[in-house]
């Protein structure tokens, strides 16, 4: 459950959906209710409903029940309960399927011996055929009658209506012929075979759909069940759920980290591949962060818990992947519109087929068979599964590679990016600048660093951290009358002196030759001055190394035809040096934090889809303004919250991989939709023309859904770096 500006968003597990018409109808029913805004996902069997103050969970459950389905609020235990319940249902369906096969085989087998001059002599007694077909029709096939009744009661029609109507017509006609001894062929084998094949298709589909959620299941399995916690000087094993922030826990060599924390004692290397996709272990020492479910290497680590339960990075990943898998891509809207009118249209075509054939050939039985074939071939399952199965597999593969997708729309739009705006510090560069040069005027180097560190000691800006870390002072005094002027610098009184620390242009040294030389070297210059900038005291040159992968990432982006633009608050000389090193031809320098969003809007005005990559709090407005936004995972919570896609690994190549994943996923969606549409476009006319037997139609219908899901599963072959 999450909060939003317009109300709570609650996720429900939905039972009883069988095809796209079901999910479309349920979504329509929920959206008609006061205070509800719903999105229903057939493949995930989930509904995400935004509830206003006038609606609650009970109202959703009641509305879903009235529509003919079941609903339960998703909580921490829902997935396990669902898994157990689905396993029981699956085993029951397997048994029923094999019983259906045993009853249907004699009916279908007799057809092999009925060819030739005396073929009718090999026909099974019709009363025996009736005895075999009836349990298949009404016991094995009861699920279709139940689903059809609930669907029609809710004011719609789904696949169950087509199957129940078609097989009932075949069984009813054959029963009348048998009971009255009419000289007509019977079609018991047709109805029984269709039900058996549809069940087979459903079983294969359920098995394939289960594999689409393997990624999120594998993440859940990574969570350790227990933790070794320090209590009164003793180490005891406790359930992970019992840990609280501040608890001290021990991670021994080879164990997994139980919760997010900070390393207190010890050194080790930790395999974070399950979070970042990076195979190389990461060295950890005191003060470093560790994350739940990552694997400890050779050293013991004593850590303090900082994030537990739903507040770990892993829990956030699982939650975000689940939300993305349950969201709906814009490309699915066409399928939804078609599904809403599909079943009534098919019923009308079947009726016209029946009437046309009866009028044309005067044979009731032949007209009936062709009408049944139309009803059976037209199952809309493939259409409903085309988009959500690909989204589920794609977002799961992204999570394994350290790419978290907030929603399906973002994944779809990423493929269409034409302009990518990049923040410099922490995005193109490592985000850990260091002081490389100190040029004092009339005071010592250490004294200059000490005064600057007093002004910057409470700032989180990367340049401020660089100056503070370069100063050796242990006990610093505090600045009074402190002010921060975004885009310029800071000022305050230190030991009775009014000092300013900020950009050369703000403090009147923009034209200084020393400043220019340092800037041409790609360094950012900060000036310490006294008395409102009239007396310069020192220059500090700070350099932030380019990430090793940034140039390769920019080159791959340009190969995709994407225009890359760097946005930075640095002066033009420093920006030009960094841009040249990264291989970027276009940059905007001297942009204040509040103006980045305006720069994004300016890029959008020239046309095309504009994306933004950033990592800091000051990037959040620009990320929100972009058509598609990426947050570097090591960045601020505000940036991650504002972004559409989050890169757990702080590497610009992740943006390239995310775009490649988008292209691969959208490619599968287009293929699936093509297969689903072409199947119905070709199948329905063939059935109406009498060229498809109902048994063949049933087999084709069953395999269409399986083929679409299997095609989506091919996305599991996708790997980052391709």
């Amino acid at each position: 459950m999450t909060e939003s500006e317009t109300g709570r968003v609650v996720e429900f597990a939905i039972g009883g959906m069988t095809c796209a018409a079901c999910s479309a109808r349920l979504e329509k029913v929920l959206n008609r209710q006061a205070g509800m805004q719903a999105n229903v996902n057939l493949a995930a069997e989930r509904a995400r409903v935004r509830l206003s103050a006038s609606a609650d969970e009970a109202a959703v459950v009641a509305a879903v029940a009235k529509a003919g389905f079941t609903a339960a609020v998703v909580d921490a235990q829902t997935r396990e309960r669902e898994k157990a319940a689905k396993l029981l249902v699956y085993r029951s369906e397997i048994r029923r399927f094999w019983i259906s096969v045993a009853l249907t085989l004699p009916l279908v087998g007799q057809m092999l011996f009925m060819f030739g001059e005396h073929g009718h002599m090999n026909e099974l007694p019709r009363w025996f055929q009736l005895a075999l077909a009836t349990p298949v029709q009404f016991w094995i096939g009861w699920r279709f009658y139940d689903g059809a009744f609930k669907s029609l009661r809710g004011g719609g029609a789904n696949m169950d209506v087509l199957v129940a109507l078609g097989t009932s017509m075949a069984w009813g006609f054959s029963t009348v012929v048998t009971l009255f001894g009419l000289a007509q062929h019977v079609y018991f084998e047709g109805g029984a075979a269709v039900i058996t094949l549809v069940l087979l298709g459903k079983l294969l589909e359920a098995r394939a759909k289960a594999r689409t959620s393997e990624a999120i299941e594998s993440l859940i399995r990574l969570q350790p069940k227990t933790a070794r916690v320090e209590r009164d000087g003793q180490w005891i094993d406790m359930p992970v759920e019992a840990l609280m922030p501040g608890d001290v826990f021990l991670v021994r060599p080879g164990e997994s980290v139980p919760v997010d924390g900070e390393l207190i004692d010890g050194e080790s290397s930790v395999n974070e591949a399950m979070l970042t996709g990076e195979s190389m272990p990461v060295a950890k020492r005191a003060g470093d962060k560790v994350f739940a479910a990552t694997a400890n290497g050779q050293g013991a680590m004593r850590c303090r818990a900082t994030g537990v339960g739903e507040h770990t990075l892993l829990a956030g990943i699982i939650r975000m992947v689940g939300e993305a898998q349950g969201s709906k891509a814009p490309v699915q809207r066409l399928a939804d519109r078609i599904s809403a009118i599909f079943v009534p249209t098919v019923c009308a075509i079947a009726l016209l087929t029946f009437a046309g054939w009866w009028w044309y050939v005067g044979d009731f039985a032949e007209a009936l068979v062709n009408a049944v074939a139309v009803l059976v071939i037209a199952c809309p399952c493939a259409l409903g599964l085309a988009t959500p199965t690909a989204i589920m597999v794609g977002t799961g593969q992204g999570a394994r590679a350290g790419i978290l997708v907030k929603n399906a729309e973002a994944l779809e739009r990423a493929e269409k990016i034409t302009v990518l705006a990049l923040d410099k510090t922490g995005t193109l560069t490592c985000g850990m600048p260091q002081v490389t040069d100190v040029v004092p005027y009339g005071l010592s180097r250490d004294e200059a660093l000490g005064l600057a560190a007093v002004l910057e000691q409470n700032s989180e800006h990367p340049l401020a951290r660089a100056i503070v870390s370069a100063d050796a002072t242990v006990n610093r005094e505090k600045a009074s009358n402190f002010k921060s002027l975004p885009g310029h610098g800071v000022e305050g009184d230190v030991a009775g002196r009014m000092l300013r620390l900020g950009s050369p242009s703000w403090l009147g040294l923009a034209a200084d030759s020393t400043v220019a030389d340092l800037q041409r070297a790609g360094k950012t210059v900060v000036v310490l001055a006294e008395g409102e900038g009239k007396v310069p005291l020192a220059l500090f040159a700070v350099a932030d190394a380019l990430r090793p992968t940034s140039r390769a990432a920019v080159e791959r982006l340009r190969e995709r035809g994407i225009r890359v633009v760097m946005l930075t608050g640095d002066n033009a000389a420093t920006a030009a040096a960094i841009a040249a090193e990264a291989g970027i031809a276009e940059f905007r320098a001297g942009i204040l934090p509040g103006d980045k969003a305006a720069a994004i809007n300016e890029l959008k005005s020239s046309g095309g889809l504009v994306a933004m990559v950033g990592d800091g709090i000051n990037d959040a407005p620009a990320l929100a303004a972009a058509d598609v936004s990426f947050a570097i995972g090591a960045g601020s919570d505000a940036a991650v919250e504002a972004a559409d896609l989050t890169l757990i690994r702080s590497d610009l190549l992740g943006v390239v991989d995310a775009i490649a994943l988008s292209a691969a996923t959208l490619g599968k969606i287009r293929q699936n939709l093509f297969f689903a549409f072409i199947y119905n476009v070709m199948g329905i006319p063939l059935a109406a023309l009498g060229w498809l037997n109902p048994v063949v139609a049933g087999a084709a219908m069953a395999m269409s859904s399986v083929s679409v899901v299997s095609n989506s599963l091919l996305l599991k072959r996708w790997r980052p770096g391709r």
Side-chain angles (χ1 to χ4, degrees), residues 196-433:
T196 303
L197 288 168
V198 172
L199 280 180
L200 174 62
K202 283 293 178 186
L203 290 171
L204 294 174
E205 178 187 309
R207 189 173 178 181
K209 279 168 64 177
R211 293 180 60 199
T212 63
S213 59
E214 278 182 1
I216 197 167
E217 291 290 345
S218 65
L219 288 175
I220 292 171
R221 287 195 296 269
L222 288 171
Q223 294 178 295
K225 303 299 182 186
T226 61
R228 196 162 182 79
V229 183
E230 189 176 31
R231 285 284 188 273
D232 300 323
Q234 302 292 321
W235 293 104
I236 61 172
D237 290 330
M238 295 176 55
V240 169
E241 296 81 8
L243 263 69
M244 300 290 289
D247 283 344
V248 175
F249 61 90
L250 179 68
V251 187
R252 291 169 292 194
E255 292 182 338
S256 293
V257 180
V259 295
D260 289 0
E262 182 178 331
L263 184 57
I264 303 173
D265 297 319
E267 290 189 7
S268 186
S269 59
V270 177
N271 186 340
E272 298 182 344
M274 45 74 62
L275 290 179
T276 65
E278 176 57 60
S279 58
M280 291 297 294
V282 180
K284 299 288 183 180
R285 52 183 57 87
D288 288 344
K289 293 180 179 179
V290 293
F291 302 102
T294 54
N296 186 23
Q298 73 283 356
M301 300 188 298
R302 184 168 168 265
C303 310
R304 179 177 291 107
T306 56
V308 300
E310 292 297 308
H311 302 289
T312 64
L313 178 60
L314 179 64
I317 291 174
I318 293 170
R319 185 166 54 250
M320 188 175 287
V321 172
E323 290 175 0
Q325 290 184 341
S327 61
K328 188 173 292 186
V331 72
Q332 193 176 343
R333 291 171 189 156
L334 175 61
D336 287 345
R337 287 196 296 269
I338 292 173
S339 296
I341 60 172
F342 189 80
V343 175
T345 303
V346 169
C347 289
I349 293 173
L351 184 61
L352 289 173
T353 299
F354 174 75
W357 275 95
W358 197 6
W359 171 79
Y360 182 67
V361 299
D363 188 335
F364 178 87
E366 188 173 355
L368 178 67
V369 169
N370 292 334
V372 170
V374 170
L375 291 171
V376 172
I377 194 70
C379 169
C381 284
L383 195 59
L385 293 168
T387 300
T389 52
I391 292 294
M392 290 177 73
V393 179
T395 52
Q397 288 300 101
R400 287 178 171 175
I403 303 166
L404 299 186
V405 183
K406 184 174 287 185
N407 54 61
E409 183 173 0
L411 186 64
E412 179 177 334
R413 292 167 72 85
E415 181 203 28
K416 303 168 185 174
I417 293 170
T418 56
V419 181
L420 183 69
L422 302 169
D423 175 51
K424 178 181 77 69
T425 305
T427 302
L428 274 172
T429 63
C430 295
M432 294 182 291

Side-chain angles (χ1 to χ4, degrees), residues 32 65 81 95 117 126 129 146 183 188 212 223 261 285 301 303 328 330 364 388 399 463 483 621 623 645:
R32 282 202 298 257
R81 288 199 304 267
R95 287 193 297 270
E117 187 178 351
R126 291 187 174 180
Q129 294 188 51
D146 183 54
F188 286 121
T212 63
Q223 294 178 295
R285 52 183 57 87
M301 300 188 298
C303 310
K328 188 173 292 186
F364 178 87
L463 297 181
K483 292 181 182 178
L623 290 170
L645 299 97

Side-chain angles (χ1 to χ4, degrees), residues 616-673:
I617 293 174
N618 61 344
D619 296 324
L623 290 170
D627 295 312
V628 181
S629 50
F630 301 85
I632 296 291
S636 71
D637 290 342
V640 172
E641 184 64 28
D644 296 315
L645 299 97
T646 299
L647 312 175
I648 299 298
R649 184 168 39 134
S650 297
D651 186 340
L652 196 58
L653 281 174
V655 176
V656 185
D657 290 334
I659 295 171
L661 176 64
S662 170
T665 304
L666 265 293
K668 285 300 174 191
I669 290 174
R670 293 186 187 106
Q671 291 171 16
N672 287 348
L673 288 173

Side-chain angles (χ1 to χ4, degrees), residues 445 567 638 662:
R445 179 183 185 278
L567 305 179
S662 170

